[in-house]
Amino acid sequence: MSNNNALLEQVRTAHRLLAAFYQRLHGNIRDLGAALDLNFYVWEPVYTARPTNLSTNPLERWQWDMLPAMASYFIFKTDCKPDQVEVGHYMVEIKVDSDTGFDGKVQRGQQPDALNLATSVEQAESKLSVRVYAPTQELDLYWYHDIWRKCVGESVNQEPMLSDKYPIVSAQFEMNISELMEEGALEQLIERTNALITRVQEKVEATVV
């Protein structure tokens, strides 16, 4: 019984640590959006489904679905309508992946075994990436359904690139979440994101011309 009590103490501790971690991390993401004068648009889990709705039985779904904050996209955009895709506006995606050892892939027909992932806790990393999407022409499309969902899977780096499939310029940078725990880290994140937006907009202007 004592071992079970000790285990549950760890569970309670883990829940409280997670809440404290996301209170700080999500606060930084919120402040980043505000500093860039962007509006929150949508969010989406990276690897799992959203937690179930009122009438869907969560006991028959992956328990990983109850941990969407572990790996999520938080998407902001400039002050424009959801279908106002035109030059000068852009979208900023913040991707949080707090455990790179989990990739959401089915294992032997089942959900991944939380105690038997291929990558150990020590080997895994906690990453945050910032990506900017900007159109090179006016498009009769929606930012989320037609732009983000179609472009999110394309590989990009810090150098702005024009998509092979869509008139969208994109670039991103990645950092370890531990860097955000350092003093002055939010200011540095804002500066890096502003610089990324500027480079993407310069690429858009060069492409339009």
Side-chain angles (χ1 to χ4, degrees), residues 1 20 24 43 46 68 81 95 98 130 158 177 186 200:
M1 181 67 72
R24 182 168 180 178
W43 79 279
V46 178
K81 297 178 181 178
K95 177 184 177 183
S98 58
V130 177
Q158 295 191 53
I177 293 178
L186 177 58
V200 168

Side-chain angles (χ1 to χ4, degrees), residues 1-13:
M1 181 67 72
S2 61
N3 287 338
N4 291 335
N5 286 336
L7 175 61
L8 290 172
E9 280 185 18
Q10 293 181 43
V11 170
R12 293 193 294 272
T13 299

Side-chain angles (χ1 to χ4, degrees), residues 32 36 38 75-78 88-95 129-135 143 147-148 151 154 156-162 168-173 192-202 204:
L32 172 63
L36 299 173
L38 297 173
I75 302 171
F76 296 76
K77 64 178 179 61
T78 49
H89 289 295
Y90 52 87
M91 185 166 49
V92 176
E93 162 205 302
I94 295 99
K95 177 184 177 183
S129 64
V130 177
R131 181 169 175 176
V132 178
Y133 304 79
W143 282 103
I147 303 299
W148 184 77
C151 294
E154 295 184 350
V156 296
N157 54 39
Q158 295 191 53
E159 289 304 313
M161 299 173 56
L162 181 64
I168 299 294
V169 172
S170 187
Q172 76 171 27
F173 66 81
R192 288 187 68 182
T193 305
N194 258 325
L196 186 69
I197 291 171
T198 298
R199 293 200 303 274
V200 168
Q201 292 292 71
E202 289 173 346
V204 168

Side-chain angles (χ1 to χ4, degrees), residues 47-209:
Y47 304 115
T48 63
R50 296 176 184 275
T52 60
N53 58 31
L54 182 67
S55 60
T56 301
N57 186 355
L59 305 178
E60 297 178 355
R61 302 283 291 274
W62 281 20
Q63 280 62 59
W64 290 101
D65 293 349
M66 306 304 286
L67 304 170
M70 183 180 73
S72 295
Y73 295 106
F74 300 91
I75 302 171
F76 296 76
K77 64 178 179 61
T78 49
D79 188 14
C80 59
K81 297 178 181 178
D83 60 346
Q84 188 180 351
V85 181
E86 56 190 43
V87 176
H89 289 295
Y90 52 87
M91 185 166 49
V92 176
E93 162 205 302
I94 295 99
K95 177 184 177 183
V96 172
D97 190 350
S98 58
D99 185 351
T100 58
F102 175 77
D103 59 10
K105 294 181 180 178
V106 175
Q107 295 180 350
R108 300 186 181 89
Q110 303 293 325
Q111 64 176 306
D113 182 348
L115 300 179
N116 193 32
L117 297 181
T119 304
S120 69
V121 171
E122 294 78 14
Q123 293 172 323
E125 295 181 284
S126 299
K127 296 286 189 178
L128 181 143
S129 64
V130 177
R131 181 169 175 176
V132 178
Y133 304 79
T136 61
Q137 64 186 66
E138 184 174 347
L139 300 169
D140 187 21
L141 300 172
Y142 282 84
W143 282 103
Y144 171 72
H145 294 287
D146 302 311
I147 303 299
W148 184 77
R149 288 187 65 88
K150 292 180 180 179
C151 294
V152 65
E154 295 184 350
S155 178
V156 296
N157 54 39
Q158 295 191 53
E159 289 304 313
M161 299 173 56
L162 181 64
S163 170
D164 292 333
K165 300 178 181 178
Y166 311 100
I168 299 294
V169 172
S170 187
Q172 76 171 27
F173 66 81
E174 184 179 83
M175 62 188 294
N176 197 297
I177 293 178
S178 64
E179 297 176 46
L180 270 178
M181 305 301 160
E182 303 294 334
E183 185 175 351
L186 177 58
E187 291 73 17
Q188 293 177 21
L189 177 60
I190 293 170
E191 184 178 332
R192 288 187 68 182
T193 305
N194 258 325
L196 186 69
I197 291 171
T198 298
R199 293 200 303 274
V200 168
Q201 292 292 71
E202 289 173 346
K203 178 69 172 180
V204 168
E205 291 173 5
T207 304
V208 171
V209 172

